[in-house]
Amino acid sequence: MAPPIAPPETFARAVAGLRSATPRPEIVLEEVGAPKRLAPYAFALAAGVLRDEDEVATGRLILLHDPAGHEAWQGTLRLVTYVTAELEVDLAADPLLPGVGWTWLTDALDAQDAAHRAIGGTITQTMSTRFGELAGPPAVGDIEIRASWTPVDDDLTPHVLAWCALLASTAGLPPPGVTALPGRRPAGAA
């Protein structure tokens, strides 16, 4: 049996940066299996955002690395994310929500000085009403943020911190150090 081949140094440094971040206490990160067919090397984190013991948002951040580079990526590393959260119906129906959701991502990257290029993505807002055997709570809304970007270097600590800020915004958490008023849910909260 051949010994395992060590991953490229760029990928190893990028993974170390993702592992080094300490998110705010409401965000729980765990390493999960990464897709094997998208790039020669991949690593993934999953996240759950908790508020009052309830999971209010989830996400996945995937690091892809192709040492040969990829023209569409404009580099050898690519970060891909999927974030989803339940929202109050009036927020989920707001036509400005997609633009706000995109700003949560771009502002978070800028605030962490997470230099990047070739960013793209989609924001989806949905409304669901249950009927028949599935009848239950009133209509609910959701937001889904799918995006990818190319970091300009292999220090990904600022990128994972920006992703955690995106998760917090999507979940409607107040900024660190700010306490929500009792009985009131922050914007973005279900």
Side-chain angles (χ1 to χ4, degrees), residues 2-116:
I5 297 173
E9 199 172 308
T10 297
F11 181 72
R13 278 193 305 268
V15 169
L18 293 177
R19 287 177 170 154
S20 73
T22 302
R24 57 191 285 177
E26 301 94 336
I27 299 174
V28 178
L29 299 179
E30 69 174 308
E31 293 181 24
V32 294
K36 303 288 186 203
R37 297 182 183 159
L38 299 176
Y41 301 92
F43 175 83
L45 291 172
V49 183
L50 304 174
R51 188 175 51 242
D52 301 326
E53 311 269 333
D54 293 325
E55 188 172 74
V56 293
T58 60
R60 189 169 293 239
L61 182 66
I62 301 166
L63 166 64
L64 303 174
H65 176 56
D66 186 342
H70 195 288
E71 186 177 336
W73 297 357
Q74 300 176 22
T76 62
L77 295 171
R78 189 74 173 169
L79 288 167
V80 180
T81 189
Y82 171 77
V83 173
T84 185
E86 191 173 296
L87 300 175
E88 293 176 1
V89 173
D90 58 337
L91 289 173
D94 189 331
L96 300 177
L97 180 63
V100 171
W102 187 252
T103 301
W104 290 336
L105 171 61
T106 58
D107 285 356
L109 290 167
D110 291 345
Q112 292 295 327
D113 294 323
H116 61 280

